Amino acid sequence: MQLILASASPRRRELIARLGLEPSGIAPADIDETPQKGELPRDYAQRMAREKALAVNAEGHVLAGDTVVAAGRRILPKAEDEATARQCLDILSGRRHRVLSAIALKAPDGTVRERLSDTIVRFKRLSTEEIASYLASGEWEGKAGGYAIQGAAEGLIQRIDGSHSGVVGLPLYETRALLKAAGFKIG
C-alpha cells in the first residue's frame, strides 16, 4: 500500500518514521489556509487537514495534517517574521493554550477518515530577555504560534497535557489508529 504525505514538513516525515513507515511520496498540498470569518480553531484545523488531503491527487492513501495554536477562540498565526513571533509569545506568556493537531487520511476511493488531537500547553511567564533569546534562535520561523516545542521552547513550558507529537505536528497515537484502520501494517 502506498502512503503519500501531503506535507513538506521534515518534522512530519520524522514523526511518521517513528511508526516504522516511509512515505511512498511527498506531495505538499497547495491550498488557501485563510481562516473563515468566525471559524473556531478546532473547526479550522479539521478543515485544513481534510482540504489538504483532498487537494492531493495521487495513487494510494494521502495523509495530511494541520496544527493550530489557539489562545481561547483566537487562532495564532504561523510566525513569518520576528514581530509576529514576539506578539505570539507575548500572548502565550504565563498562560495556557490549546494545540489542535488534525489529521486526515484519504483512501484511494476518495473517502476521508479524520482524527484530532487536543493538547493543553502552559508557558511560564516569559521575561523580555527570554523572549529576545528565543527570537534570536530563529526556531520560531514558520511555526504556528511562534514556537517549536521540540527545541529551546520546551524549556519555557511548565506543563503539557496531551500529545507531545501532536504539538510537534503529527499526533502519533491518532495517526497510528487511522493507518491501522486503513490496513497499514504497523508494529
Side-chain angles (χ1 to χ4, degrees):
M1 291 179 37
Q2 289 193 5
L3 178 64
I4 308 302
L5 185 59
S7 174
S9 166
R11 290 164 309 284
R12 287 196 176 113
R13 286 196 302 268
E14 290 167 10
L15 288 166
I16 199 81
R18 291 183 191 174
L19 296 177
L21 296 173
E22 178 70 32
S24 307
I26 305 295
D30 184 21
I31 64 169
D32 178 5
E33 296 191 37
T34 306
Q36 295 173 350
K37 185 175 181 170
E39 189 170 31
L40 296 174
R42 175 182 301 270
D43 298 333
Y44 173 72
Q46 291 173 312
R47 181 175 65 84
M48 286 295 94
R50 183 174 46 257
E51 286 185 9
K52 287 175 183 179
L54 292 170
V56 173
N57 291 316
E59 295 201 18
H61 287 77
V62 176
L63 178 67
D66 196 70
T67 302
V68 173
V69 174
R73 296 169 59 103
R74 181 177 182 183
I75 298 169
L76 297 185
K78 286 184 182 173
E80 301 301 338
D81 56 52
E82 191 172 302
T84 302
R86 181 182 307 280
Q87 181 183 24
C88 289
L89 293 171
D90 284 340
I91 290 168
L92 299 175
S93 176
R95 67 182 285 194
R96 56 184 226 149
H97 62 279
R98 290 193 174 307
V99 178
L100 303 157
S101 192
I103 53 169
L105 182 66
K106 181 178 75 171
D109 67 3
T111 60
V112 179
R113 298 173 191 219
E114 302 175 55
R115 291 283 180 105
L116 178 76
S117 167
D118 184 346
T119 302
I120 297 173
V121 179
R122 181 177 178 85
F123 266 88
K124 70 181 282 307
R125 181 152 309 280
L126 302 173
S127 68
T128 304
E129 294 79 22
E130 287 169 323
I131 290 175
S133 176
Y134 187 71
L135 292 173
S137 76
E139 284 182 357
W140 53 268
E141 292 184 45
K143 305 296 189 297
Y147 75 94
I149 196 171
Q150 69 274 20
E154 192 165 9
L156 305 173
I157 292 171
Q158 287 180 323
R159 184 177 178 96
I160 177 173
D161 292 314
S163 172
H164 186 276
S165 62
V167 179
V168 175
L170 188 70
L172 291 181
Y173 178 82
E174 290 81 359
T175 301
R176 183 179 186 277
L178 266 187
L179 292 171
K180 281 191 69 97
F184 283 87
K185 301 219 181 300
I186 299 173

PDB file of all heavy atoms in Angstrom, residues 135-175:
ATOM      1  N   LEU A 135      13.754  34.445  20.309  1.00  0.00           N
ATOM      2  CA  LEU A 135      13.650  35.025  18.972  1.00  0.00           C
ATOM      3  C   LEU A 135      14.987  34.957  18.236  1.00  0.00           C
ATOM      4  O   LEU A 135      15.030  34.678  17.032  1.00  0.00           O
ATOM      5  CB  LEU A 135      13.149  36.471  19.054  1.00  0.00           C
ATOM      6  CG  LEU A 135      11.700  36.643  19.530  1.00  0.00           C
ATOM      7  CD1 LEU A 135      11.374  38.108  19.724  1.00  0.00           C
ATOM      8  CD2 LEU A 135      10.725  35.978  18.574  1.00  0.00           C
ATOM      9  N   ALA A 136      16.085  35.167  18.966  1.00  0.00           N
ATOM     10  CA  ALA A 136      17.419  35.111  18.358  1.00  0.00           C
ATOM     11  C   ALA A 136      17.749  33.709  17.846  1.00  0.00           C
ATOM     12  O   ALA A 136      18.540  33.555  16.913  1.00  0.00           O
ATOM     13  CB  ALA A 136      18.480  35.566  19.364  1.00  0.00           C
ATOM     14  N   SER A 137      17.117  32.677  18.422  1.00  0.00           N
ATOM     15  CA  SER A 137      17.378  31.297  17.998  1.00  0.00           C
ATOM     16  C   SER A 137      16.865  31.015  16.591  1.00  0.00           C
ATOM     17  O   SER A 137      17.360  30.113  15.912  1.00  0.00           O
ATOM     18  CB  SER A 137      16.741  30.299  18.975  1.00  0.00           C
ATOM     19  OG  SER A 137      15.330  30.228  18.764  1.00  0.00           O
ATOM     20  N   GLY A 138      15.833  31.746  16.166  1.00  0.00           N
ATOM     21  CA  GLY A 138      15.248  31.521  14.845  1.00  0.00           C
ATOM     22  C   GLY A 138      14.335  30.315  14.755  1.00  0.00           C
ATOM     23  O   GLY A 138      13.746  30.050  13.706  1.00  0.00           O
ATOM     24  N   GLU A 139      14.189  29.569  15.849  1.00  0.00           N
ATOM     25  CA  GLU A 139      13.340  28.371  15.833  1.00  0.00           C
ATOM     26  C   GLU A 139      11.881  28.673  15.516  1.00  0.00           C
ATOM     27  O   GLU A 139      11.157  27.803  15.060  1.00  0.00           O
ATOM     28  CB  GLU A 139      13.384  27.665  17.197  1.00  0.00           C
ATOM     29  CG  GLU A 139      14.615  26.896  17.465  1.00  0.00           C
ATOM     30  CD  GLU A 139      14.559  26.182  18.805  1.00  0.00           C
ATOM     31  OE1 GLU A 139      13.580  26.323  19.556  1.00  0.00           O
ATOM     32  OE2 GLU A 139      15.526  25.469  19.102  1.00  0.00           O
ATOM     33  N   TRP A 140      11.456  29.870  15.794  1.00  0.00           N
ATOM     34  CA  TRP A 140      10.064  30.269  15.632  1.00  0.00           C
ATOM     35  C   TRP A 140       9.632  30.403  14.177  1.00  0.00           C
ATOM     36  O   TRP A 140       8.449  30.409  13.873  1.00  0.00           O
ATOM     37  CB  TRP A 140       9.837  31.625  16.317  1.00  0.00           C
ATOM     38  CG  TRP A 140      10.827  32.653  15.849  1.00  0.00           C
ATOM     39  CD1 TRP A 140      12.041  32.953  16.423  1.00  0.00           C
ATOM     40  CD2 TRP A 140      10.740  33.470  14.681  1.00  0.00           C
ATOM     41  NE1 TRP A 140      12.693  33.913  15.687  1.00  0.00           N
ATOM     42  CE2 TRP A 140      11.915  34.248  14.610  1.00  0.00           C
ATOM     43  CE3 TRP A 140       9.776  33.634  13.692  1.00  0.00           C
ATOM     44  CZ2 TRP A 140      12.153  35.156  13.599  1.00  0.00           C
ATOM     45  CZ3 TRP A 140      10.017  34.544  12.668  1.00  0.00           C
ATOM     46  CH2 TRP A 140      11.203  35.299  12.643  1.00  0.00           C
ATOM     47  N   GLU A 141      10.581  30.500  13.270  1.00  0.00           N
ATOM     48  CA  GLU A 141      10.262  30.790  11.870  1.00  0.00           C
ATOM     49  C   GLU A 141       9.341  29.743  11.257  1.00  0.00           C
ATOM     50  O   GLU A 141       9.651  28.563  11.232  1.00  0.00           O
ATOM     51  CB  GLU A 141      11.539  30.899  11.047  1.00  0.00           C
ATOM     52  CG  GLU A 141      12.364  32.117  11.424  1.00  0.00           C
ATOM     53  CD  GLU A 141      13.587  32.293  10.564  1.00  0.00           C
ATOM     54  OE1 GLU A 141      13.470  32.165   9.326  1.00  0.00           O
ATOM     55  OE2 GLU A 141      14.659  32.553  11.134  1.00  0.00           O
ATOM     56  N   GLY A 142       8.179  30.222  10.790  1.00  0.00           N
ATOM     57  CA  GLY A 142       7.205  29.354  10.134  1.00  0.00           C
ATOM     58  C   GLY A 142       6.428  28.451  11.061  1.00  0.00           C
ATOM     59  O   GLY A 142       5.705  27.565  10.603  1.00  0.00           O
ATOM     60  N   LYS A 143       6.555  28.664  12.361  1.00  0.00           N
ATOM     61  CA  LYS A 143       5.887  27.794  13.334  1.00  0.00           C
ATOM     62  C   LYS A 143       4.573  28.407  13.816  1.00  0.00           C
ATOM     63  O   LYS A 143       4.500  29.594  14.112  1.00  0.00           O
ATOM     64  CB  LYS A 143       6.780  27.537  14.554  1.00  0.00           C
ATOM     65  CG  LYS A 143       8.140  26.968  14.233  1.00  0.00           C
ATOM     66  CD  LYS A 143       8.050  25.595  13.618  1.00  0.00           C
ATOM     67  CE  LYS A 143       9.372  24.898  13.472  1.00  0.00           C
ATOM     68  NZ  LYS A 143      10.342  25.504  12.608  1.00  0.00           N
ATOM     69  N   ALA A 144       3.550  27.583  13.908  1.00  0.00           N
ATOM     70  CA  ALA A 144       2.261  28.024  14.434  1.00  0.00           C
ATOM     71  C   ALA A 144       2.461  28.513  15.861  1.00  0.00           C
ATOM     72  O   ALA A 144       3.104  27.850  16.673  1.00  0.00           O
ATOM     73  CB  ALA A 144       1.253  26.877  14.405  1.00  0.00           C
ATOM     74  N   GLY A 145       1.942  29.699  16.149  1.00  0.00           N
ATOM     75  CA  GLY A 145       2.065  30.254  17.491  1.00  0.00           C
ATOM     76  C   GLY A 145       3.435  30.810  17.807  1.00  0.00           C
ATOM     77  O   GLY A 145       3.676  31.272  18.916  1.00  0.00           O
ATOM     78  N   GLY A 146       4.372  30.749  16.869  1.00  0.00           N
ATOM     79  CA  GLY A 146       5.686  31.334  17.069  1.00  0.00           C
ATOM     80  C   GLY A 146       6.658  30.518  17.901  1.00  0.00           C
ATOM     81  O   GLY A 146       7.652  31.052  18.395  1.00  0.00           O
ATOM     82  N   TYR A 147       6.409  29.209  18.061  1.00  0.00           N
ATOM     83  CA  TYR A 147       7.378  28.398  18.806  1.00  0.00           C
ATOM     84  C   TYR A 147       7.382  26.957  18.303  1.00  0.00           C
ATOM     85  O   TYR A 147       6.421  26.488  17.700  1.00  0.00           O
ATOM     86  CB  TYR A 147       7.096  28.427  20.310  1.00  0.00           C
ATOM     87  CG  TYR A 147       5.909  27.605  20.765  1.00  0.00           C
ATOM     88  CD1 TYR A 147       6.072  26.290  21.206  1.00  0.00           C
ATOM     89  CD2 TYR A 147       4.622  28.137  20.784  1.00  0.00           C
ATOM     90  CE1 TYR A 147       4.991  25.541  21.643  1.00  0.00           C
ATOM     91  CE2 TYR A 147       3.542  27.395  21.220  1.00  0.00           C
ATOM     92  CZ  TYR A 147       3.733  26.096  21.646  1.00  0.00           C
ATOM     93  OH  TYR A 147       2.653  25.339  22.071  1.00  0.00           O
ATOM     94  N   ALA A 148       8.489  26.274  18.589  1.00  0.00           N
ATOM     95  CA  ALA A 148       8.655  24.854  18.272  1.00  0.00           C
ATOM     96  C   ALA A 148       8.946  24.127  19.584  1.00  0.00           C
ATOM     97  O   ALA A 148       9.987  24.353  20.194  1.00  0.00           O
ATOM     98  CB  ALA A 148       9.798  24.653  17.294  1.00  0.00           C
ATOM     99  N   ILE A 149       8.032  23.274  20.011  1.00  0.00           N
ATOM    100  CA  ILE A 149       8.196  22.584  21.296  1.00  0.00           C
ATOM    101  C   ILE A 149       9.402  21.648  21.289  1.00  0.00           C
ATOM    102  O   ILE A 149       9.984  21.380  22.340  1.00  0.00           O
ATOM    103  CB  ILE A 149       6.915  21.826  21.697  1.00  0.00           C
ATOM    104  CG1 ILE A 149       6.965  21.458  23.188  1.00  0.00           C
ATOM    105  CG2 ILE A 149       6.708  20.609  20.812  1.00  0.00           C
ATOM    106  CD1 ILE A 149       5.677  20.911  23.750  1.00  0.00           C
ATOM    107  N   GLN A 150       9.816  21.181  20.119  1.00  0.00           N
ATOM    108  CA  GLN A 150      10.922  20.227  20.050  1.00  0.00           C
ATOM    109  C   GLN A 150      12.282  20.896  20.161  1.00  0.00           C
ATOM    110  O   GLN A 150      13.301  20.242  20.061  1.00  0.00           O
ATOM    111  CB  GLN A 150      10.827  19.390  18.774  1.00  0.00           C
ATOM    112  CG  GLN A 150      11.075  20.146  17.499  1.00  0.00           C
ATOM    113  CD  GLN A 150       9.837  20.822  16.929  1.00  0.00           C
ATOM    114  OE1 GLN A 150       8.864  21.058  17.622  1.00  0.00           O
ATOM    115  NE2 GLN A 150       9.883  21.148  15.654  1.00  0.00           N
ATOM    116  N   GLY A 151      12.305  22.202  20.407  1.00  0.00           N
ATOM    117  CA  GLY A 151      13.561  22.918  20.544  1.00  0.00           C
ATOM    118  C   GLY A 151      13.676  23.597  21.884  1.00  0.00           C
ATOM    119  O   GLY A 151      13.190  23.104  22.907  1.00  0.00           O
ATOM    120  N   ALA A 152      14.294  24.759  21.883  1.00  0.00           N
ATOM    121  CA  ALA A 152      14.542  25.502  23.121  1.00  0.00           C
ATOM    122  C   ALA A 152      13.261  25.911  23.841  1.00  0.00           C
ATOM    123  O   ALA A 152      13.265  26.081  25.061  1.00  0.00           O
ATOM    124  CB  ALA A 152      15.385  26.744  22.817  1.00  0.00           C
ATOM    125  N   ALA A 153      12.167  26.054  23.120  1.00  0.00           N
ATOM    126  CA  ALA A 153      10.896  26.460  23.754  1.00  0.00           C
ATOM    127  C   ALA A 153      10.427  25.446  24.787  1.00  0.00           C
ATOM    128  O   ALA A 153       9.720  25.800  25.724  1.00  0.00           O
ATOM    129  CB  ALA A 153       9.815  26.672  22.704  1.00  0.00           C
ATOM    130  N   GLU A 154      10.844  24.194  24.647  1.00  0.00           N
ATOM    131  CA  GLU A 154      10.427  23.180  25.616  1.00  0.00           C
ATOM    132  C   GLU A 154      10.873  23.553  27.026  1.00  0.00           C
ATOM    133  O   GLU A 154      10.201  23.242  28.006  1.00  0.00           O
ATOM    134  CB  GLU A 154      10.962  21.805  25.224  1.00  0.00           C
ATOM    135  CG  GLU A 154      10.332  20.684  26.026  1.00  0.00           C
ATOM    136  CD  GLU A 154      10.570  19.311  25.423  1.00  0.00           C
ATOM    137  OE1 GLU A 154      11.369  19.181  24.469  1.00  0.00           O
ATOM    138  OE2 GLU A 154       9.954  18.357  25.917  1.00  0.00           O
ATOM    139  N   GLY A 155      11.986  24.275  27.155  1.00  0.00           N
ATOM    140  CA  GLY A 155      12.473  24.717  28.454  1.00  0.00           C
ATOM    141  C   GLY A 155      11.673  25.870  29.031  1.00  0.00           C
ATOM    142  O   GLY A 155      11.892  26.266  30.177  1.00  0.00           O
ATOM    143  N   LEU A 156      10.731  26.416  28.256  1.00  0.00           N
ATOM    144  CA  LEU A 156       9.890  27.523  28.705  1.00  0.00           C
ATOM    145  C   LEU A 156       8.473  27.057  29.037  1.00  0.00           C
ATOM    146  O   LEU A 156       7.633  27.852  29.426  1.00  0.00           O
ATOM    147  CB  LEU A 156       9.833  28.611  27.619  1.00  0.00           C
ATOM    148  CG  LEU A 156      11.182  29.146  27.150  1.00  0.00           C
ATOM    149  CD1 LEU A 156      10.994  30.092  25.965  1.00  0.00           C
ATOM    150  CD2 LEU A 156      11.925  29.820  28.287  1.00  0.00           C
ATOM    151  N   ILE A 157       8.240  25.762  28.872  1.00  0.00           N
ATOM    152  CA  ILE A 157       6.896  25.209  29.066  1.00  0.00           C
ATOM    153  C   ILE A 157       6.802  24.533  30.425  1.00  0.00           C
ATOM    154  O   ILE A 157       7.574  23.628  30.739  1.00  0.00           O
ATOM    155  CB  ILE A 157       6.557  24.243  27.919  1.00  0.00           C
ATOM    156  CG1 ILE A 157       6.426  25.050  26.628  1.00  0.00           C
ATOM    157  CG2 ILE A 157       5.297  23.455  28.210  1.00  0.00           C
ATOM    158  CD1 ILE A 157       6.303  24.231  25.377  1.00  0.00           C
ATOM    159  N   GLN A 158       5.849  25.000  31.220  1.00  0.00           N
ATOM    160  CA  GLN A 158       5.643  24.449  32.564  1.00  0.00           C
ATOM    161  C   GLN A 158       4.935  23.108  32.533  1.00  0.00           C
ATOM    162  O   GLN A 158       5.216  22.230  33.344  1.00  0.00           O
ATOM    163  CB  GLN A 158       4.794  25.405  33.408  1.00  0.00           C
ATOM    164  CG  GLN A 158       5.505  26.633  33.861  1.00  0.00           C
ATOM    165  CD  GLN A 158       4.592  27.525  34.688  1.00  0.00           C
ATOM    166  OE1 GLN A 158       3.405  27.645  34.420  1.00  0.00           O
ATOM    167  NE2 GLN A 158       5.169  28.150  35.700  1.00  0.00           N
ATOM    168  N   ARG A 159       3.967  22.979  31.627  1.00  0.00           N
ATOM    169  CA  ARG A 159       3.128  21.788  31.646  1.00  0.00           C
ATOM    170  C   ARG A 159       2.556  21.524  30.256  1.00  0.00           C
ATOM    171  O   ARG A 159       2.257  22.442  29.513  1.00  0.00           O
ATOM    172  CB  ARG A 159       1.992  21.997  32.634  1.00  0.00           C
ATOM    173  CG  ARG A 159       1.099  20.826  32.831  1.00  0.00           C
ATOM    174  CD  ARG A 159       0.046  21.144  33.901  1.00  0.00           C
ATOM    175  NE  ARG A 159      -0.846  20.029  34.056  1.00  0.00           N
ATOM    176  CZ  ARG A 159      -0.717  19.091  34.975  1.00  0.00           C
ATOM    177  NH1 ARG A 159       0.264  19.156  35.839  1.00  0.00           N
ATOM    178  NH2 ARG A 159      -1.565  18.108  35.047  1.00  0.00           N
ATOM    179  N   ILE A 160       2.391  20.237  29.972  1.00  0.00           N
ATOM    180  CA  ILE A 160       1.717  19.827  28.741  1.00  0.00           C
ATOM    181  C   ILE A 160       0.769  18.690  29.102  1.00  0.00           C
ATOM    182  O   ILE A 160       1.157  17.743  29.783  1.00  0.00           O
ATOM    183  CB  ILE A 160       2.720  19.422  27.638  1.00  0.00           C
ATOM    184  CG1 ILE A 160       1.992  18.920  26.393  1.00  0.00           C
ATOM    185  CG2 ILE A 160       3.732  18.446  28.118  1.00  0.00           C
ATOM    186  CD1 ILE A 160       2.889  18.668  25.194  1.00  0.00           C
ATOM    187  N   ASP A 161      -0.469  18.832  28.685  1.00  0.00           N
ATOM    188  CA  ASP A 161      -1.475  17.792  28.908  1.00  0.00           C
ATOM    189  C   ASP A 161      -1.995  17.355  27.550  1.00  0.00           C
ATOM    190  O   ASP A 161      -2.794  18.055  26.926  1.00  0.00           O
ATOM    191  CB  ASP A 161      -2.642  18.333  29.755  1.00  0.00           C
ATOM    192  CG  ASP A 161      -2.228  18.645  31.177  1.00  0.00           C
ATOM    193  OD1 ASP A 161      -1.547  17.804  31.789  1.00  0.00           O
ATOM    194  OD2 ASP A 161      -2.564  19.741  31.656  1.00  0.00           O
ATOM    195  N   GLY A 162      -1.494  16.211  27.088  1.00  0.00           N
ATOM    196  CA  GLY A 162      -1.922  15.711  25.786  1.00  0.00           C
ATOM    197  C   GLY A 162      -0.754  15.153  25.003  1.00  0.00           C
ATOM    198  O   GLY A 162       0.181  14.596  25.567  1.00  0.00           O
ATOM    199  N   SER A 163      -0.804  15.325  23.713  1.00  0.00           N
ATOM    200  CA  SER A 163       0.135  14.702  22.787  1.00  0.00           C
ATOM    201  C   SER A 163       1.326  15.607  22.457  1.00  0.00           C
ATOM    202  O   SER A 163       1.166  16.622  21.775  1.00  0.00           O
ATOM    203  CB  SER A 163      -0.602  14.345  21.493  1.00  0.00           C
ATOM    204  OG  SER A 163       0.307  13.915  20.505  1.00  0.00           O
ATOM    205  N   HIS A 164       2.503  15.217  22.924  1.00  0.00           N
ATOM    206  CA  HIS A 164       3.719  15.954  22.574  1.00  0.00           C
ATOM    207  C   HIS A 164       3.931  15.924  21.063  1.00  0.00           C
ATOM    208  O   HIS A 164       4.211  16.958  20.440  1.00  0.00           O
ATOM    209  CB  HIS A 164       4.920  15.367  23.310  1.00  0.00           C
ATOM    210  CG  HIS A 164       6.186  16.139  23.115  1.00  0.00           C
ATOM    211  ND1 HIS A 164       7.001  15.959  22.021  1.00  0.00           N
ATOM    212  CD2 HIS A 164       6.757  17.110  23.854  1.00  0.00           C
ATOM    213  CE1 HIS A 164       8.033  16.779  22.114  1.00  0.00           C
ATOM    214  NE2 HIS A 164       7.911  17.488  23.206  1.00  0.00           N
ATOM    215  N   SER A 165       3.763  14.752  20.447  1.00  0.00           N
ATOM    216  CA  SER A 165       3.964  14.655  18.995  1.00  0.00           C
ATOM    217  C   SER A 165       2.930  15.486  18.236  1.00  0.00           C
ATOM    218  O   SER A 165       3.213  16.014  17.166  1.00  0.00           O
ATOM    219  CB  SER A 165       3.943  13.195  18.527  1.00  0.00           C
ATOM    220  OG  SER A 165       2.692  12.586  18.799  1.00  0.00           O
ATOM    221  N   GLY A 166       1.732  15.631  18.809  1.00  0.00           N
ATOM    222  CA  GLY A 166       0.723  16.484  18.193  1.00  0.00           C
ATOM    223  C   GLY A 166       1.156  17.936  18.169  1.00  0.00           C
ATOM    224  O   GLY A 166       0.918  18.653  17.197  1.00  0.00           O
ATOM    225  N   VAL A 167       1.819  18.380  19.232  1.00  0.00           N
ATOM    226  CA  VAL A 167       2.311  19.756  19.285  1.00  0.00           C
ATOM    227  C   VAL A 167       3.447  19.937  18.273  1.00  0.00           C
ATOM    228  O   VAL A 167       3.563  20.984  17.638  1.00  0.00           O
ATOM    229  CB  VAL A 167       2.754  20.152  20.716  1.00  0.00           C
ATOM    230  CG1 VAL A 167       3.291  21.575  20.745  1.00  0.00           C
ATOM    231  CG2 VAL A 167       1.590  20.004  21.692  1.00  0.00           C
ATOM    232  N   VAL A 168       4.251  18.909  18.089  1.00  0.00           N
ATOM    233  CA  VAL A 168       5.328  18.969  17.094  1.00  0.00           C
ATOM    234  C   VAL A 168       4.738  19.046  15.682  1.00  0.00           C
ATOM    235  O   VAL A 168       5.272  19.747  14.827  1.00  0.00           O
ATOM    236  CB  VAL A 168       6.288  17.761  17.229  1.00  0.00           C
ATOM    237  CG1 VAL A 168       7.324  17.756  16.109  1.00  0.00           C
ATOM    238  CG2 VAL A 168       6.970  17.764  18.587  1.00  0.00           C
ATOM    239  N   GLY A 169       3.606  18.361  15.456  1.00  0.00           N
ATOM    240  CA  GLY A 169       2.982  18.472  14.138  1.00  0.00           C
ATOM    241  C   GLY A 169       2.268  17.252  13.596  1.00  0.00           C
ATOM    242  O   GLY A 169       1.625  17.315  12.567  1.00  0.00           O
ATOM    243  N   LEU A 170       2.378  16.091  14.283  1.00  0.00           N
ATOM    244  CA  LEU A 170       1.674  14.893  13.831  1.00  0.00           C
ATOM    245  C   LEU A 170       1.400  14.011  15.048  1.00  0.00           C
ATOM    246  O   LEU A 170       2.318  13.378  15.577  1.00  0.00           O
ATOM    247  CB  LEU A 170       2.504  14.122  12.798  1.00  0.00           C
ATOM    248  CG  LEU A 170       1.795  12.972  12.118  1.00  0.00           C
ATOM    249  CD1 LEU A 170       0.713  13.474  11.162  1.00  0.00           C
ATOM    250  CD2 LEU A 170       2.797  12.107  11.357  1.00  0.00           C
ATOM    251  N   PRO A 171       0.156  13.966  15.509  1.00  0.00           N
ATOM    252  CA  PRO A 171      -0.155  13.170  16.697  1.00  0.00           C
ATOM    253  C   PRO A 171      -0.041  11.673  16.387  1.00  0.00           C
ATOM    254  O   PRO A 171      -0.845  11.123  15.633  1.00  0.00           O
ATOM    255  CB  PRO A 171      -1.593  13.583  17.029  1.00  0.00           C
ATOM    256  CG  PRO A 171      -2.181  14.006  15.722  1.00  0.00           C
ATOM    257  CD  PRO A 171      -1.033  14.594  14.942  1.00  0.00           C
ATOM    258  N   LEU A 172       0.965  11.040  16.946  1.00  0.00           N
ATOM    259  CA  LEU A 172       1.271   9.660  16.571  1.00  0.00           C
ATOM    260  C   LEU A 172       0.203   8.660  16.989  1.00  0.00           C
ATOM    261  O   LEU A 172      -0.078   7.715  16.254  1.00  0.00           O
ATOM    262  CB  LEU A 172       2.641   9.254  17.121  1.00  0.00           C
ATOM    263  CG  LEU A 172       3.815   9.960  16.452  1.00  0.00           C
ATOM    264  CD1 LEU A 172       5.132   9.475  17.035  1.00  0.00           C
ATOM    265  CD2 LEU A 172       3.792   9.757  14.945  1.00  0.00           C
ATOM    266  N   TYR A 173      -0.396   8.831  18.143  1.00  0.00           N
ATOM    267  CA  TYR A 173      -1.441   7.898  18.574  1.00  0.00           C
ATOM    268  C   TYR A 173      -2.593   7.899  17.572  1.00  0.00           C
ATOM    269  O   TYR A 173      -3.039   6.841  17.106  1.00  0.00           O
ATOM    270  CB  TYR A 173      -1.941   8.267  19.983  1.00  0.00           C
ATOM    271  CG  TYR A 173      -3.056   7.372  20.458  1.00  0.00           C
ATOM    272  CD1 TYR A 173      -2.781   6.130  21.007  1.00  0.00           C
ATOM    273  CD2 TYR A 173      -4.384   7.769  20.340  1.00  0.00           C
ATOM    274  CE1 TYR A 173      -3.805   5.299  21.435  1.00  0.00           C
ATOM    275  CE2 TYR A 173      -5.414   6.957  20.760  1.00  0.00           C
ATOM    276  CZ  TYR A 173      -5.121   5.719  21.304  1.00  0.00           C
ATOM    277  OH  TYR A 173      -6.144   4.902  21.710  1.00  0.00           O
ATOM    278  N   GLU A 174      -3.068   9.079  17.226  1.00  0.00           N
ATOM    279  CA  GLU A 174      -4.191   9.213  16.306  1.00  0.00           C
ATOM    280  C   GLU A 174      -3.802   8.771  14.890  1.00  0.00           C
ATOM    281  O   GLU A 174      -4.579   8.123  14.191  1.00  0.00           O
ATOM    282  CB  GLU A 174      -4.698  10.655  16.291  1.00  0.00           C
ATOM    283  CG  GLU A 174      -5.401  11.085  17.561  1.00  0.00           C
ATOM    284  CD  GLU A 174      -4.463  11.489  18.705  1.00  0.00           C
ATOM    285  OE1 GLU A 174      -3.218  11.424  18.536  1.00  0.00           O
ATOM    286  OE2 GLU A 174      -4.976  11.863  19.768  1.00  0.00           O
ATOM    287  N   THR A 175      -2.577   9.095  14.478  1.00  0.00           N
ATOM    288  CA  THR A 175      -2.099   8.701  13.153  1.00  0.00           C
ATOM    289  C   THR A 175      -2.000   7.188  13.049  1.00  0.00           C
ATOM    290  O   THR A 175      -2.437   6.585  12.059  1.00  0.00           O
ATOM    291  CB  THR A 175      -0.730   9.356  12.864  1.00  0.00           C
ATOM    292  OG1 THR A 175      -0.885  10.780  12.946  1.00  0.00           O
ATOM    293  CG2 THR A 175      -0.217   8.978  11.488  1.00  0.00           C
TER     294      THR A 175
END
